[in-house]
Amino acid sequence: MRGLWLALGGLFLGLGLLGVALPVLPTTPFMLLAAGCFARSSPRLHRWLLGHPTLGPPIRNWEENGAVSRPTKRLATGSMAALLVLSVLLGLAWQVILAQAVLIALGSAFILTRPDGPSR
């Protein structure tokens, strides 16, 4: 099982790093998944990810507090809304737009109901 968790962690880390450059691919959820997989397979990689100056703080915030920062909430919900608007402008089928709208509403509700994290 350790090898599977390690491979999944590597996959999610790669997808998260792609998300840094590609605006349609989210970074934080993939980094959270990578951290969870590395916690089960490689304490060294988990510590590296948590200690990373850029990637570490949102992961630590989630692991320690189950929290998502306000700027991250704004970016995530704004990106999802922009994707929905783009889908409408591109004239996608109403079934696709409806499915997107439902999933975006659920995702946004989850993100927006998480705490902001500790005040520092």
Side-chain angles (χ1 to χ4, degrees), residues 7-78:
L8 286 172
L11 173 69
F12 292 136
L13 177 63
L15 289 171
L17 292 174
L18 276 174
V20 171
L22 301 172
V24 296
L25 195 63
T27 300
T28 303
F30 287 121
M31 290 302 169
L32 293 174
L33 289 168
C37 291
F38 289 150
R40 289 167 179 76
S41 64
S42 173
R44 182 180 61 84
L45 286 173
H46 186 248
R47 279 191 308 275
W48 171 79
L49 200 51
L50 290 176
H52 191 278
T54 304
L55 304 174
I59 297 168
R60 285 193 309 272
N61 195 22
W62 178 259
E63 285 189 356
E64 295 168 6
N65 308 297
V68 178
S69 70
R70 281 188 187 183
T72 301
K73 288 178 184 182
R74 283 188 210 110
L75 180 62
T77 55

